[in-house]
Amino acid sequence: MAYFKEIVTKAVVGKGKKATTQKYTIVPDQTPNTVLGCWIINHKFNGSMANRDIYVNGAYDVNVWYSYDNDTKTGVCTGTFTYNDKMNVPVSNNVSLTNNSEVIVSSLSDPNVIDVGVENGAIKFSVRKEMGIEIVGDTKIRVNVEDNFEDYMEIIDDEEIDDVMNEIDSQIKEDYLDENSPLEDNQELAQ
C-alpha cells in the first residue's frame, strides 16, 4: 500500500522577467553638436523584498563620446545612473513570502542604449535592459511512499565470504576434465 508524505523544502516559488526602458539626460562641459558613441559599463544590481513587493536595484556608468565646436573637437562625458524597478513576480499557489525568502536576480539582456541624440545643449538617451527574477522560499512537496520498499542490502563479512569460497573449492574435482575428456578418444582417431 502506498501513501504520501509532505516534505518542507526550499524551492523556486516564483519566477519572471521584465524588460524596462528608461530615459536619461546628461549635460557635457561643452555644447555638443553630434553624438559619436554611447556605451554602458559597470552594471551592478541586486534584488530585495519589502512588504511582499520585489525590487531590482542597480546602477551603471554611461560614457558618451560627442563632437563640439562645429564638429572640430571631441569629448567624453560620463555619468552614473541608478534604478529601482518594482517587479510583480508571479508566485506559486499556497506560498507565502517571508523574510527568509531569497530574491535572485540575473541580467537577461545587459543595459543597452537604444536611442541617443542632442537636444538643447544636452544629450538625451534611452536605455533598455531585461532582468530575470527568481524567488526561493519554503514550500511543501508531496511524495509517494511505498510500504514494502527495502533499501538496505545484506552485509556479508569477509569471514563469511571465505567460508563460502572454501566450500566451493572443496566441491571442485580437479581431475574432472581428465576423467571425462573426449579429447583422448579424438586423439586416437586423429592418428
Side-chain angles (χ1 to χ4, degrees), residues 141-157:
I141 58 174
R142 195 172 282 221
V143 180
N144 186 4
V145 179
E146 302 270 335
D147 273 347
N148 296 328
F149 181 72
E150 189 174 318
D151 59 350
Y152 290 101
M153 298 294 292
E154 186 69 33
I155 297 173
I156 301 173
D157 293 330

Side-chain angles (χ1 to χ4, degrees), residues 66-77:
Y66 64 95
S67 67
Y68 64 96
D69 200 12
N70 291 323
D71 291 331
T72 60
K73 297 178 184 174
T74 64
V76 175
C77 61

Side-chain angles (χ1 to χ4, degrees), residues 12-27:
V12 174
V13 295
K15 191 173 186 176
K17 64 181 178 177
K18 183 177 182 180
T20 58
T21 302
Q22 290 154 322
K23 295 183 178 193
Y24 299 105
T25 301
I26 193 168
V27 180

